[in-house]
Amino acid sequence: MIVELRNPTRTVEFDEAMSVAKLLNRLQVDRGAVLVICDGTLVPYDAKLPADAVVEIRSVISGGAA
Amino acid sequence: MKCRVCRGPAVIDLKRHNANFCPEHFIRFCNQQVEKAIGEYDMFAKDDRLLVAVSGGKDSLAVWAILVELGYQADGLYIGLGIENYSDVSGQYAKEFAEARGLHLHIVDLVDEYGYDVPNGAKAAKRVPCSACGLSKRHIFDRVALENGYDVLVTGHNLDDEAAVLFGNVLHWQAEYLARQHPVLPERDGMPRKVKPLVRLDEREMAAYCVVSGIDYMLDECPMSAGNSHLRYKDALNLVEQASPGTKQAFFHKFLSQGAPFFAEAGDEKRAELGTCATCGGPTPNDVCAFCRLVERAGGQPVKLTRGPSRSGSTPTQQTVTAEP
Ligand code: SF4
Ligand SMILES: [Zn+2]
Ligand SMILES: [Zn+2]
């Protein structure tokens, strides 16, 4: 599984299939602060991601103060 | 995970509502939350002409899309701030969004029209970038609304933004700011009413709305935002929210219903009489408004305000660049 993250932009790879919940746990990412996107669609917390998936973890927090 | 409405496969879980939704019913949920906010705070009517401040980010594009979907007459306004590696790209997202949907987008470029950009303007005026940026944007929002006869200026501030601002104001007991913190700022001295229809939706919901409805938006953050206190307040509130979902919503909305009345007086005291800026003709408590002083210090050229047609029902004069399909 190829996982793309931003801020800073980086890619992490895993060999096995796993659920979104487990993936976020492994990466120590707060589920409330991100969306998980696979093939252009939103995937829920309990979805199982196949071993060959390409996944984007998109942060949703923006910082403009005005 | 099943959709609360149709029991089909859900794509998103909203912990503070204890609900999951499929794409179709999630979009419906977002539309309903916006309609509820518009009604709850009496933001505007179906025949009002709305100007949406668009940055190219998720919130402003989402609020524009939702308002159009709900049948409101909403045009967009994009301001080029001259921030390197950010402004050009974010402007592209705004233009592409408008073009793809045949919507009207006003474009004002700080460098082209006023002769300065946010980083240099901030330096020259000895302000932090977000303060110079906010001052510039507010002035231009008012100007474009006034010149083109818009009744209402819409911004994409969401629940997280408002809760973070409230948190900052409470931490410093800014009574005057607390008095003004409301999803609707009434029209004043010819300036349009300002409204925030996304106050019932949080950041993750707005990002999800964009993904589900196929809206491409600027993912990179403005480089000027790094390390600002607004982000720290969001982080702090998210920690609490993680442990008890719904806290952020209660914090902000209960402030509005129960806390805000205690601060109303602090706002009245500070409402100075407004005169007319000698340089641009806009409203100001001083001889020259803060925006014109910023432009002058930054070595730019001021632009005189031309009051446009009357509100509601009038045909707008298009003095800014238009992105048509
Ligand atoms: S982060 Fe600050 S400088 Fe950047 S767009 Fe937002 S308000 Fe302007
Ligand atoms: Zn459904
Ligand atoms: Zn002025």
Side-chain angles (χ1 to χ4, degrees), chain B residues 139 276-284 287-293 302-303 305:
Chain B
H139 179 88
T276 302
C277 169
T279 308
C280 72
T284 175
D287 295 338
V288 174
C289 75
F291 175 72
C292 288
R293 278 182 276 143
V303 176
L305 228 144

Side-chain angles (χ1 to χ4, degrees), chain A residues 20-21 24 30-36 42-47 60, chain B residues 1-4 8-23 25-26 29 202-206 208-209 212 241-242 245:
Chain A
V20 170
L24 294 182
D30 165 22
R31 64 190 273 197
V34 296
L35 292 176
V36 180
L42 217 52
V43 283
Y45 199 57
D46 62 352
V60 298
Chain B
M1 223 168 79
K2 290 200 168 78
C3 171
R4 172 158 96 178
V11 291
I12 187 158
D13 60 305
L14 308 183
K15 278 192 144 186
R16 78 194 152 90
H17 291 286
N18 201 12
N20 308 317
F21 290 106
C22 71
H25 291 115
F26 176 63
F29 164 83
D202 72 15
E203 223 151 33
R204 183 163 169 269
E205 288 153 13
M206 290 341 293
Y209 176 90
V212 167
E241 182 76 18
Q242 229 179 318

Side-chain angles (χ1 to χ4, degrees), chain B residues 103-172:
Chain B
L103 297 172
H104 183 79
L105 179 68
H106 298 265
I107 299 170
V108 175
D109 191 87
L110 276 189
V111 179
D112 292 349
E113 286 199 39
Y114 294 91
Y116 75 97
D117 57 37
V118 162
N120 290 322
K123 231 179 271 165
K126 296 197 173 66
R127 281 172 175 263
V128 292
C130 290
S131 149
C133 181
L135 176 61
S136 308
K137 287 193 286 199
R138 284 191 298 274
H139 179 88
I140 294 166
F141 293 161
D142 284 342
R143 190 196 116 194
V144 173
L146 205 64
E147 290 182 342
N148 296 280
Y150 289 100
D151 305 286
V152 181
L153 187 276
V154 176
T155 57
H157 294 96
N158 57 43
L159 175 61
D160 290 79
D161 295 322
E162 293 306 293
V165 169
L166 176 60
F167 190 44
N169 287 341
V170 167
L171 286 179
H172 299 100

Side-chain angles (χ1 to χ4, degrees), chain A residues 51-66:
Chain A
D52 61 353
V54 179
V55 182
E56 177 194 347
I57 298 193
R58 185 180 290 189
S59 165
V60 298
I61 299 177
S62 34

